[in-house]
Amino acid sequence: MAAAVAKLCDVHELILVAKKCSRPTQARTLLGVPGTLSSRLQPNHPTDDPEGIACLCYWGLSLAAGDALLGINPAIDAVDNVERLLRLLDSLRRRTGVPSQICVLAHIKTQLACLDRGAPVEVLFQSLAGTEETNLAEFDISVDLLDHGYRTMAERGALAGTARQFMYFETGQGSEFTYGRHHGIDMTTCEALCYGLARRYDPFMVNNVTGFIGPETHLDSFEMMLANLQDHFMGKLLGLPMGMAPCYTLHSRTTLEGQQIATQLLTAAGANYFMDVCLNTDRMLAYFDTSRARRPNAA
């Protein structure tokens, strides 16, 4: 009983302190102002079909989603395909006039190659890990590459001279352990190291996907909730604009109810934004995420 009470006290502190940390950022739109909650519209499609992506975009926009970002995870991480998706999103944004920005969440090298072709790379994305070995061996990135990406976007990105921030990073407890490249460091500390690297680039968005990025490392709904609250708390203390995605796969005992509770708690803690995946189910990445169509009320 005492242990359960102590855990509840910990959760309360993670919410209360994070709520007091305001981390607004601005590209084309302003995110993270106290009292606001934004969303990244995620119109992923298993084959990157343009009609399917457009349908999901219009559906999400009709629900007032996507003010943080219109962001696709590509099924095919190739320059030709990613360029095609960037131009599709740019066309949709211009046609609707939606005040947002676009991103295709391919590898940073692919996005920079698209930028070299003149494609509209507005926000530059990359997944991060908390150990150098994981970043080099699994994510194929280095600090030098990230530095190069930042300088390139500042000089000639689609929003250069307009956006205060233009980098986007994705993290989540468990990736280093899953790959066996954590060197005995606990998952929470590894995640904090991600945030130390991310803040080097003053990002527009940081998106935490604990529950998806390391599904073998979190047993159930409670572990997913606690890890998300820890990550949000650490990110905010380190000055980052934390977007949260309390999510899960069928590897774990996490439930939709547990995910919705996590969403409510993170809203109370002042998360900058959530994902918006049509009806919670991402059919391309095969996991379950937040959705405006099913989001519980949380003030």
Side-chain angles (χ1 to χ4, degrees):
M1 183 66 177
V5 171
K7 287 183 181 295
L8 287 174
C9 290
D10 289 344
V11 167
H12 180 266
E13 290 170 1
L14 292 174
I15 294 171
L16 183 64
V17 175
K19 180 72 173 180
K20 296 179 181 294
C21 299
S22 174
R23 306 301 185 203
T25 57
Q26 186 162 13
R28 182 177 284 112
T29 55
L30 177 65
L31 304 185
V33 175
T36 66
L37 177 62
S38 299
S39 68
R40 170 195 147 194
L41 183 54
Q42 184 172 301
N44 293 347
H45 191 278
T47 63
D48 291 337
D49 178 71
E51 291 186 358
I53 290 170
C55 177
L56 291 170
C57 278
Y58 284 123
W59 188 346
L61 292 174
S62 74
L63 295 171
D67 58 320
L69 192 76
L70 308 181
I72 301 172
N73 296 88
I76 303 169
D77 192 330
V79 176
D80 288 344
N81 186 57
V82 171
E83 180 183 6
R84 177 176 64 87
L85 295 177
L86 282 165
R87 296 191 185 281
L88 171 64
L89 288 181
D90 183 59
S91 174
L92 287 168
R93 188 194 64 77
R94 291 177 183 275
R95 188 179 309 136
T96 59
V98 59
S100 186
Q101 34 280 315
I102 66 168
C103 181
V104 176
L105 284 68
H107 192 277
I108 186 172
K109 293 178 181 178
T110 309
Q111 295 169 84
L112 291 174
C114 291
L115 183 61
D116 288 340
R117 291 185 173 191
V121 180
E122 295 186 346
V123 174
L124 188 66
F125 168 83
Q126 181 56 49
S127 294
L128 298 181
T131 65
E132 184 178 31
E133 186 178 351
T134 310
N135 281 321
L136 290 172
E138 304 296 341
F139 293 173
D140 189 26
I141 60 169
S142 64
V143 173
D144 286 344
L145 176 60
L146 295 173
D147 286 352
H148 169 66
Y150 179 86
R151 290 193 301 267
T152 301
M153 288 293 291
E155 292 168 3
R156 52 189 178 87
L159 297 180
T162 301
R164 280 171 37 199
Q165 288 96 2
F166 42 78
M167 301 293 282
Y168 176 19
F169 297 114
E170 187 169 87
T171 72
Q173 283 191 35
S175 62
E176 304 85 2
F177 185 84
T178 297
Y179 291 124
R181 301 183 186 277
H182 59 300
H183 305 294
I185 305 171
D186 67 90
M187 293 189 294
T188 310
T189 302
C190 282
E191 184 68 6
L193 293 170
C194 289
Y195 301 151
L197 177 57
R199 72 175 182 175
R200 175 183 177 94
Y201 304 101
D202 187 22
F204 173 59
M205 300 168 63
V206 176
N207 177 36
N208 178 279
V209 287
T210 293
F212 169 69
I213 204 166
E216 301 85 359
T217 60
H218 293 83
L219 177 66
D220 54 25
S221 293
F222 180 79
E223 289 192 1
M224 181 274 293
M225 290 179 212
L226 183 59
N228 270 267
L229 288 167
Q230 289 173 339
D231 295 350
H232 180 256
F233 172 85
M234 292 188 299
K236 284 291 188 69
L237 287 185
L238 286 170
L240 294 177
M242 293 301 294
M244 302 302 297
C247 51
Y248 64 101
T249 71
L250 296 179
H251 291 77
S252 70
R253 301 175 193 168
T254 305
T255 63
L256 177 61
E257 181 181 35
Q259 181 199 47
Q260 290 178 332
I261 293 171
T263 305
Q264 289 178 317
L265 293 174
L266 288 162
T267 303
N272 281 25
Y273 67 96
F274 290 118
M275 297 297 99
D276 203 328
V277 177
C278 184
L279 299 179
N280 288 96
T281 306
D282 190 309
R283 291 161 180 81
M284 193 278 282
L285 293 174
Y287 82 116
F288 306 95
D289 209 327
T290 51
S291 171
R292 185 173 293 275
R294 291 187 178 180
R295 188 170 299 158
N297 292 326

